[in-house]
């Protein structure tokens, strides 16, 4: 999309400057250097001076890097973690501008670790976003997305108004990555969230950027009216500010919109206006794009002379830009190598930490088992001694002893039931191991295509050194296709891992004051788009009827989120199955009668969520208009391992775990259903501890 990295790089520096409250004018930087040379600053003033010097020294990057490294040395000496994190962040920005991507990556990772240690959410989120930017530039969209997610999640935890611009920046960057992978629905969600924040902080520049991107996404999915509305609003603001550079691209999008409408005249007018602005400001890429569209438009309206004129102009600018892009591609080869090398180092350290963590957990588990066995043996021995004593001394209380024996038998039965449950959980572990085995298949594809790409990169490098640009371009196209396959199989592995982790990751169980409406909305989006990622043809309406008072109660948000996710997944599965059943019936009717079955209203899959707060409890309802639950199994749905899904599609633990989570919070969960029409789950959670 338009100028993502340039705009948000400036935003990031702007937000960083707010944090420390320093001016950016060069004359201020010169004044600060005078103070620094006189060595009059002491204590925290010395740290602030180095931060400001490194930040403001934009003309001499190496000098700015020197100030950042001195800030790091001084912070390490006195143990000042806050300024140490700032020093590594500033070093990363300078190294990145100097083209030292490996050093930049290492600096940003160190900055994030230090910020996490000092609980500086803003600095931590900004560092994650910069790492994501580096991966995005390297076309590694999957890894870039993971760091953007980290940035968004971290910055959402901050309630400082000044951190809003950083959050809006991370949201918009995430939207850009979704556009890169052609997931336009998710892109719109993140762009709209970003726009809401820019409106709130009254950032007109950021709002304009997001408006234009939203319009261009709508244009890609052929929602022409919405595209035209957003792009026109962005153009209007840019014209008022005399910012004509991005207008050229917006005008080209408008031309495409009117071309889709069949209005060639309006399409020509927008393309000509874009070309005029681009030539006025000497924007080569925009001139090339306008010429390309114009020669095809004139060809469409049967004007060969004008078509040929603009085609010649297009060829001139295309060749000029292609020469530049060849140089850029050569630079990208080094870029990818540096990023890959640094990530390998980070992964190695992470594996070592994980190994020690696993060893510690295993040791604790073994210790707990030994202690439990010893306690059990001691308890059994003590009970036996008491029983023998009572038997020898109190023969006249046989009836009482029989009652005690029955009670002990009942406790033993409960213990046996618990052991059976544990055995079933062990079988779940075996199932998890089987799922992990399945992951090996997509990983083999990833490894094979990665090896092929390494060989192709060597061949492309040799062809470039020999001057065979066309052959090198052909090889790079092959690399791009392989990268798409790597991305595809990587997502397969990711989907398998996510499914496995839903029932394996532990919960801290700590409660905190949580906005139920926000939690319910976030997990509803997560569930819907997770299913959409697996089946692009699936669509369903989602309806939210949230309590207007924005209810907040003390809960364990991770556990309640897992509960909601289980209910949402079941609801979407139910409406999907019903939709497939109806479609199959219509096809069968068409084959048997020779005409479509038009009886009744068309089925619209719908999942709704309702929240309502009273004095004593909070009510959450999840309802779907799917297949419903048969009456004969309604009493079994909360039993562990009971499922109506086909083999391999469900383990039968979702509702069982949901039931346990609600009970752990002191609440209740009930179900109402009518077979073939709907199913509704009603949760009541106490509002006071």
């Amino acid at each position: 999309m338009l100028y993502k990295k340039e705009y948000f790089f400036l935003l990031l520096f702007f937000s960083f400057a707010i944090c420390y409250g320093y001016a950016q004018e060069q004359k201020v930087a010169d004044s600060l250097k005078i103070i620094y040379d006189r060595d009059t600053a002491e204590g925290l003033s010395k740290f602030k001076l180095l931060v400001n010097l490194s930040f403001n020294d934009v003309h001499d990057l190496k000098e700015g890097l020197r100030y950042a490294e001195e800030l790091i040395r001084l912070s390490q000496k006195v143990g000042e973690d806050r300024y140490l994190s700032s020093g590594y962040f500033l070093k990363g920005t300078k190294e990145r501008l100097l083209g030292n991507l490996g050093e930049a990556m290492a600096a940003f990772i160190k900055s994030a670790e230090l910020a996490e240690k000092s609980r500086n959410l803003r600095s931590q989120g900004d560092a994650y976003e910069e790492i994501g930017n580096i991966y995005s530039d390297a076309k590694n969209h999957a890894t870039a997305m993971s760091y953007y997610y980290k940035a968004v999640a971290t910055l959402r935890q901050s309630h400082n108004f000044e951190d809003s611009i950083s959050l809006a920046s991370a949201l918009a960057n995430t939207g850009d990555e979704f556009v890169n992978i052609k997931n336009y629905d998710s892109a719109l969600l993140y762009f709209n969230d970003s726009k809401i924040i820019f409106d709130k902080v009254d950032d007109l520049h950021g709002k304009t950027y997001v408006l234009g991107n939203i319009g261009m996404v709508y244009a890609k999915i052929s929602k022409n009216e919405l595209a035209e509305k957003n792009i026109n609003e962005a153009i209007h603001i840019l014209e008022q500010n005399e910012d004509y550079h991005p207008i050229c691209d917006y005008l080209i999008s408008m031309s495409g919109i009117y071309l889709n409408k069949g209005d060639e005249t309006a399409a020509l007018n927008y393309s000509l206006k874009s070309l005029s602005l681009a030539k006025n400001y000497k924007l080569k890429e925009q001139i090339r794009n306008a010429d390309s569209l114009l020669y095809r438009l004139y060809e469409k309206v049967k004007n060969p002379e004008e078509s040929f004129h603009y085609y010649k102009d297009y060829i001139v600018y295309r060749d000029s830009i292609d020469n530049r892009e060849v140089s850029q591609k050569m630079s990208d080869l080094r870029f990818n190598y540096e990023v890959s090398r640094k990530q390998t180092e980070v992964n190695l350290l992470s594996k070592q930490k994980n190994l020690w963590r696993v060893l510690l957990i295993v040791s604790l588990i073994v210790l707990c088992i030994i202690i439990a066995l010893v306690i059990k043996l001691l308890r059994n021995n003590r009970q036996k001694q008491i029983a023998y004593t009572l038997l020898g001394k109190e023969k006249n209380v046989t009836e009482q002893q029989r009652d005690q024996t029955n009670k002990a038998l009942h406790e033993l039965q409960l213990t046996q039931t618990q052991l059976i449950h544990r055995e079933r959980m062990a079988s779940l572990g075996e199932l998890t191991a089987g799922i992990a085995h399945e992951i090996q298949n997509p990983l083999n594809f990833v490894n094979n295509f990665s090896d092929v790409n390494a060989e192709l990169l060597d061949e492309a490098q040799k062809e470039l050194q020999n001057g065979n640009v066309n052959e090198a371009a052909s090889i790079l196209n092959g690399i791009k296709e392989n990268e798409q396959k790597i991305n595809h199989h990587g997502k397969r592995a990711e989907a398998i891992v996510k499914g496995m982790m839903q029932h394996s990751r532990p919960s801290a169980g700590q409660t905190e004051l949580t906005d139920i409406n926000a939690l319910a909305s976030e997990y509803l989006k997560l569930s819907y788009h997770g299913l959409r990622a697996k089946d692009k043809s699936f669509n369903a309406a989602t309806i939210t009827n949230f309590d207007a008072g924005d209810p907040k109660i003390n809960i364990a948000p991770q556990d309640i989120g897992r509960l909601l996710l289980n209910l949402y997944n079941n609801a979407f599965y139910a409406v999907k199955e019903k939709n497939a059943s109806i479609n199959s019936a219509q096809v069968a009717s068409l084959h048997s009668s020779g005409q479509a079955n038009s009886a009744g209203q068309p089925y619209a899959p719908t999942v709704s969520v309702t929240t309502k707060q009273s004095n004593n409890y909070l009510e959450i309802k999840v309802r779907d208009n799917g297949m419903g639950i048969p009456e004969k199994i309604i009493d079994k749905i909360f039993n562990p391992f009971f499922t109506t899904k086909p083999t391999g599609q469900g383990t039968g633990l979702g509702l069982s775990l949901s039931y346990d989570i609600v009970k752990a919070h002191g609440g209740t969960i009930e179900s109402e259903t009518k077979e073939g029409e709907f199913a509704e789950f009603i949760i009541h959670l106490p509002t006071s501890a």
Side-chain angles (χ1 to χ4, degrees):
M1 306 298 282
L2 292 176
Y3 325 116
K4 178 179 82 172
K5 294 303 182 289
E6 291 85 349
Y7 171 72
F8 284 106
F9 189 74
L10 291 174
L11 266 183
L12 195 56
F13 269 81
F14 173 68
S15 63
F16 192 83
I18 290 176
C19 182
Y20 292 99
Y22 301 117
Q24 298 185 18
E25 291 83 356
Q26 185 62 37
K27 61 183 180 181
V28 174
D30 294 338
S31 301
L32 292 171
K33 288 181 181 179
I34 294 173
I35 297 173
Y36 175 78
D37 292 338
R38 291 176 180 174
D39 196 20
T40 57
E42 297 179 356
L44 290 179
S45 298
K46 182 78 169 183
F47 293 109
K48 295 178 180 179
L49 178 62
L50 288 169
V51 168
N52 211 13
L53 281 168
S54 180
F55 177 75
N56 283 281
D57 207 334
V58 296
H59 299 295
D60 189 344
L61 295 175
K62 291 185 178 179
E63 185 72 7
L65 178 60
R66 186 177 70 82
Y67 289 127
E69 290 176 338
E70 184 171 349
L71 175 61
I72 292 172
R73 287 193 296 271
L74 184 60
S75 300
Q76 288 174 332
K77 182 177 180 181
V78 300
E80 186 64 52
D81 286 345
R82 178 183 177 87
Y83 285 99
L84 184 59
S85 174
S86 301
Y88 276 110
F89 184 88
L90 287 166
K91 179 180 179 180
T93 59
K94 301 301 179 183
E95 295 283 18
R96 184 182 174 199
L97 291 172
L98 289 167
N100 302 325
L101 302 176
E103 288 77 5
M105 174 74 76
F108 286 133
I109 291 173
K110 188 67 175 177
S111 176
E113 291 175 350
L114 290 166
E116 182 179 9
K117 180 181 177 182
S118 61
R119 298 183 180 179
N120 189 334
L121 296 176
R122 185 178 190 177
S123 296
Q124 186 181 351
D126 288 344
Y128 286 147
E129 186 176 1
E130 278 300 310
I131 296 171
N133 288 342
I134 292 177
Y135 278 109
S136 181
D137 287 340
K139 311 302 181 187
N140 188 340
H141 300 301
T143 307
M145 190 79 75
S146 68
Y147 278 101
Y148 287 144
Y149 282 153
K150 284 185 178 181
V152 170
T154 302
L155 292 168
R156 282 193 192 279
Q157 298 176 43
S158 174
H159 301 291
N160 293 330
F161 181 79
E162 293 81 2
D163 296 350
S164 298
I165 293 180
S166 291
L167 176 58
S169 165
L171 288 167
N173 277 348
T174 308
D176 280 342
E177 289 305 306
F178 275 118
V179 171
N180 289 332
I181 63 175
K182 296 181 173 54
N183 188 340
Y184 300 122
D185 290 341
S186 296
L188 287 173
L189 285 174
Y190 279 90
F191 282 142
N192 283 321
D193 286 348
S194 177
K195 178 179 175 295
I196 290 171
I197 296 175
F198 281 128
D199 284 336
K200 188 179 296 184
V201 301
D202 198 22
D203 189 321
L204 190 61
H205 194 174
K207 175 184 175 182
T208 306
Y209 165 81
V210 176
L211 276 173
N213 280 4
I214 290 173
M216 294 178 76
V217 171
Y218 277 132
K220 290 180 183 293
I221 60 178
S222 300
K223 292 188 177 182
N224 295 328
E225 293 183 2
L226 290 172
E228 189 173 356
K229 174 181 177 297
N230 284 276
I231 291 175
N232 277 332
E233 187 175 350
I235 290 175
H236 176 71
I237 297 172
L238 290 167
E239 287 178 340
Q240 287 182 333
N241 295 319
E242 298 182 353
D243 186 1
Y244 297 105
H245 191 167
I247 291 179
C248 297
D249 291 306
Y250 293 154
L251 290 171
I252 289 295
S253 290
M254 290 293 291
S255 179
I257 291 170
Y258 277 95
L259 182 59
N260 290 336
K261 291 181 178 180
D263 189 346
E264 287 87 358
T265 302
L268 279 168
N269 288 336
Y270 277 109
S271 296
L272 289 169
K273 187 175 180 180
S274 175
L275 180 62
S276 176
L277 280 175
K279 286 190 173 182
N280 188 35
Y281 292 95
K282 299 179 181 178
L283 307 175
K284 289 186 177 182
E285 290 188 17
Q286 283 70 23
I287 294 173
R288 177 199 62 184
N289 295 339
D291 282 332
S292 174
L293 188 56
L294 280 166
Y295 91 74
R296 288 185 279 114
L297 281 170
Y298 276 116
E299 185 178 31
K300 189 175 181 67
V301 298
K302 310 300 184 185
N303 190 337
E305 293 182 1
E306 289 295 330
S307 176
F308 183 66
H309 166 72
Y310 287 107
Y311 179 75
K312 291 192 296 182
D313 202 28
Y314 161 72
I315 293 300
V316 171
Y317 283 97
R318 183 197 67 182
D319 292 344
S320 174
I321 292 170
D322 284 348
N323 289 334
R324 186 182 64 190
E325 289 179 347
V326 168
S327 299
Q328 181 63 38
K329 287 178 180 177
M330 293 178 66
S331 176
D332 286 346
L333 294 176
R334 179 178 175 273
F335 185 105
N336 287 323
Y337 168 75
E338 293 287 348
V339 171
S340 176
R341 181 174 63 85
K342 189 54 64 179
Q343 186 61 41
T344 300
E345 296 175 2
V346 173
N347 290 341
L348 181 59
L349 290 174
S350 178
K351 288 180 179 178
Q352 292 175 346
K353 291 180 179 178
N354 289 337
L355 179 59
W356 282 108
R357 188 179 296 113
V358 169
L359 290 174
L360 177 60
I361 292 172
V362 171
S363 300
L364 289 174
I365 291 173
V366 172
L367 180 61
C368 290
I369 292 173
I370 294 173
I371 292 173
L373 290 173
V374 171
I375 291 174
K376 187 175 180 180
L377 289 172
L378 291 174
R379 183 182 301 167
N380 291 339
N381 288 334
R382 183 171 178 271
Q383 289 176 347
K384 289 179 180 179
Q385 290 173 359
I386 293 173
Y388 289 145
T389 301
L390 290 174
L391 184 63
K393 293 182 178 181
E394 301 180 3
K395 294 181 179 180
N396 58 339
V397 290
T398 305
E399 192 70 22
Q400 181 180 357
Q401 289 179 342
R402 187 186 64 185
D403 294 339
Q404 292 176 344
T405 303
N406 289 336
K407 182 180 178 181
L409 178 61
H410 177 66
E411 291 177 350
L412 179 60
Q413 290 173 341
L414 290 177
T415 303
Q416 288 174 336
T417 302
Q418 293 173 354
L419 290 173
I420 291 171
H421 180 71
R422 291 177 184 174
E423 283 297 321
R424 289 179 177 174
M425 296 308 294
S427 69
L428 177 61
E430 294 175 357
L431 175 61
T432 303
I435 295 173
H437 179 73
E438 290 295 322
I439 298 174
Q440 189 62 43
N441 186 36
L443 287 182
N444 286 338
F445 280 102
V446 171
N447 291 332
N448 291 339
F449 284 118
S450 296
D451 293 339
V452 172
N453 275 1
E455 296 175 1
L456 289 175
L457 284 171
D458 291 337
E459 294 179 12
Q461 186 174 14
K462 291 178 181 179
E463 295 296 339
L464 288 172
Q465 290 173 351
N466 295 332
N468 298 330
V469 176
N470 291 334
E471 185 64 23
S474 176
I475 294 173
L476 291 175
N477 286 333
I479 294 174
K480 181 178 180 182
E481 293 176 359
N482 288 346
E483 287 295 326
Q484 292 173 348
K485 295 175 182 177
I486 290 173
N487 180 266
H488 167 73
H489 291 291
K491 286 182 177 178
R492 282 183 57 202
E494 181 184 20
I496 295 170
V497 172
K498 284 183 177 178
M500 178 176 62
M501 292 300 292
Q502 284 182 356
H503 295 293
S504 64
R505 65 175 180 265
S507 167
Q510 296 180 351
T511 62
E512 60 185 66
L513 193 62
T514 304
D515 185 337
I516 287 294
N517 289 350
L519 187 71
S521 176
E522 182 175 353
Y523 276 90
L524 181 62
K525 293 178 184 177
L526 175 63
S527 176
Y528 179 67
H529 289 290
L531 186 55
R532 283 272 298 166
K534 298 176 183 176
D535 184 3
K536 297 294 184 183
S537 64
F538 173 73
N539 284 288
T542 56
I543 301 174
T544 55
N545 301 305
F546 290 150
D547 192 307
D550 291 328
K552 296 181 179 179
I553 63 173
N554 281 309
I555 58 171
Q558 183 180 351
D559 290 342
I560 298 300
R562 189 182 302 176
L563 155 70
L564 291 172
L565 190 62
N566 286 337
L567 297 181
Y568 292 152
N569 287 343
N570 286 347
F572 284 122
Y573 178 86
V575 297
K576 180 183 177 185
E577 289 298 303
K578 183 173 181 179
N579 190 47
S581 175
I582 291 173
N583 290 338
S584 298
Q586 290 176 346
V587 171
S589 176
L590 177 63
H591 283 294
S592 63
S593 63
Q595 59 183 6
N597 183 7
S598 59
Q601 295 296 325
Y603 174 65
T606 305
V607 175
S608 65
V609 188
T610 303
T611 62
K612 181 180 178 182
Q613 186 172 22
S614 69
N615 292 333
N616 300 321
Y617 66 88
L618 178 90
E619 181 181 83
I620 306 173
K621 292 183 178 180
V622 178
R623 183 185 180 98
D624 66 78
N625 63 345
M627 302 294 289
I629 304 172
E631 184 175 354
K632 62 182 181 180
I633 67 168
I634 192 68
D635 294 331
K636 303 177 182 178
I637 59 175
F638 293 109
N639 291 345
F641 299 96
F642 179 81
T643 180
T644 60
K645 296 179 182 178
T647 302
Q649 294 191 25
T651 61
L653 289 172
L655 289 178
S656 173
L657 292 176
S658 300
Y659 181 86
D660 292 341
I661 290 170
V662 172
K663 288 298 182 182
H665 282 76
T668 62
I669 180 170
E670 303 170 351
S671 63
E672 294 183 2
T673 181
K674 185 172 182 181
E675 186 173 358
E677 293 188 14
F678 76 93
E680 185 177 66
F681 286 87
I682 306 163
I683 303 163
H684 291 101
L685 297 174
T687 56
S688 59

